[in-house]
Structure formats: C-alpha cells, structure tokens
Amino acid sequence: MIGLRPGRLGGVVALGAHCDDIAIGAGGTLLTLCASRPGLKVDALVLSGGGTPREDEERAALAAFCPGAQLDVTVLKLPDGRFPAHWEEAKNALEELRRRTDPDVILAPRTDDAHQDHRGLAKLVPTAFRDHLALGYEIVKWDGDLGAPSVYQPLDDDVAEEKVRLLQEHYASQRHRPWYDREAFLGLARIRGIEAAAKYAEAFFVKKLTLDLKG
C-alpha cells in the first residue's frame, strides 16, 4: 500500500543526494516525528560526502534532528554533480537499504528538482521502494524551481526556529553560500505555512498515494 494509516508510523527512511539535503528539506518534519514518537526507527542514506568533513557534519546534524530515535546513517562517496554516471552504485545502495528496512514513509528529493543529483535520486526511489509512501521534499536554490506542493507538515514555532538553529550550527561548510541563511529557511517555511493554514510548514510532493477509507 502506498499510503499511511493514522497513528501508524514505526519507521522512516530519509534519503539525500548530498550532506544537508535531508535537514534542509525535511529537518522540521524529522524533529516533529521524533519528538512525538520516541524510539522511532530512522534510516538515513546520503550518496555523497563520505570520508570528508561533510560526513562528520551530516552525522552530527542528523543525530540532532532525530533526538531519541534509533538512527542509522550511511554516507557514500559518489562524486557531487556526477550521479547520472554512477546510477548503478546509487541503485545498489537503495536496494541494499530496502533489503534491511521496510519504512512507513520515505523522505526524499522530489522528481522534478532542477539539480540533477536530487532528481536522479528521486527517480530511483520507486524502483527500490515500490509500495511505500514517498514524500518529495524541496530545497530552495538559484534555479528557481519551487513548485506547487500537495502535502504539508505544519511546524510549531519552536520547531521551525530549532531547524534553522541546527542548520546553522552543524553545517559550517555551507554558511558562506548566499542562499544558506535564516531568512531563506524561515521565509520558505512561512510561505508554506500560509498555504497550510499554519504559521510555518514544510511542504512535500507526492507522485502516488493509495487511500484506505474503510475506517
């Protein structure tokens, strides 16, 4: 079933092409999930940054974004910006993850993301996780590829603020980037909050969803 029943959420898979993708796209959602479900199983797979200082940043950040969770983090060494040429390695990594986990929801990039690495990973998700709900997160960038999402997770004010604080604290390597600042992160969350009848929210894109309305 490609869906999620109310009250049922025992495992999450979080996928990122690069270190910081998961935290930027779904950090508030992870904070919300882990706070309400102590001991939640979270399996994170990141395709690039392995063996570099960015891996250290990622491991520390995801631990902070998933407090109290049963967290397992894998960071691979695929070259940034070259994922299309390493499709088989990425595919094998997802299939290996699928063999050892059966999540209730997947947090991953969206399929129409302008970045080729994000887009490539997103298109691999349904080839390994065929019967799972996949929520495609968004990352603001200079490409101007923000779209019209269909799913929202409202964020409490303190969660939105904590997300921004953790992003600034744990990813020192990204602070020089012109788009990596408090205004960008909270600004997008505020816009998505308006769309979700809340103050702040994270938004997601869904390709397929199966309903269970039997009650």
Side-chain angles (χ1 to χ4, degrees):
M1 168 180 282
I2 305 177
L4 187 62
R5 295 175 182 172
R8 176 197 164 187
L9 208 163
V12 174
V13 159
L15 303 173
H18 317 100
C19 296
D20 77 19
D21 286 354
I22 295 170
I24 292 173
T29 297
L30 285 173
L31 285 168
T32 301
L33 285 171
C34 292
S36 61
R37 294 171 172 82
L40 178 69
K41 185 73 173 75
V42 179
D43 289 282
L45 172 64
V46 181
L47 298 185
S48 67
T52 74
R54 295 219 64 198
E55 178 178 357
D56 297 331
E57 289 183 338
E58 184 76 335
R59 290 186 179 278
L62 291 181
F65 275 102
C66 301
Q70 301 176 57
L71 176 64
D72 184 80
V73 179
T74 301
V75 183
L76 304 182
K77 299 180 180 181
L78 273 64
D80 187 354
R82 300 290 187 271
F83 286 6
H86 296 266
W87 181 90
E88 185 172 358
E89 295 171 66
K91 168 77 166 171
N92 288 341
L94 260 67
E95 290 181 342
E96 192 282 327
L97 177 60
R98 175 65 185 94
R99 284 191 290 270
R100 59 184 175 83
T101 188
D102 187 22
D104 295 304
V105 64
I106 298 168
L107 304 172
R110 57 192 180 94
T111 55
D112 57 349
D113 192 295
H115 194 299
Q116 71 273 14
D117 292 352
H118 300 172
R119 188 170 62 249
L121 173 56
K123 291 181 177 178
L124 277 176
V125 172
T127 71
F129 294 89
R130 294 182 178 275
D131 300 313
H132 298 77
L133 174 63
L135 303 179
Y137 56 71
E138 58 183 352
I139 296 177
V140 65
K141 61 181 82 68
W142 71 271
D143 305 82
D145 64 347
L146 293 178
S150 54
V151 176
Y152 297 84
Q153 171 58 55
L155 304 178
D156 292 342
D157 291 9
D158 59 337
V159 171
E161 292 284 354
E162 179 71 354
K163 172 184 175 177
V164 174
R165 186 187 72 78
L166 292 176
L167 285 172
Q168 294 290 352
E169 176 183 343
H170 288 285
Y171 296 104
S173 65
Q174 304 303 299
R175 292 175 191 153
H176 68 284
R177 297 185 182 278
W179 54 268
Y180 197 93
D181 59 32
R182 172 185 173 83
E183 288 81 4
F185 297 134
L186 276 185
L188 180 58
R190 181 69 184 105
I191 290 170
R192 297 316 189 195
I194 292 170
E195 296 170 354
K199 184 172 181 180
Y200 296 115
E202 285 179 339
F204 300 91
F205 297 74
V206 176
K207 296 292 289 185
K208 186 179 289 188
L209 173 66
T210 299
L211 298 177
D212 181 2
L213 302 178
K214 291 183 295 184

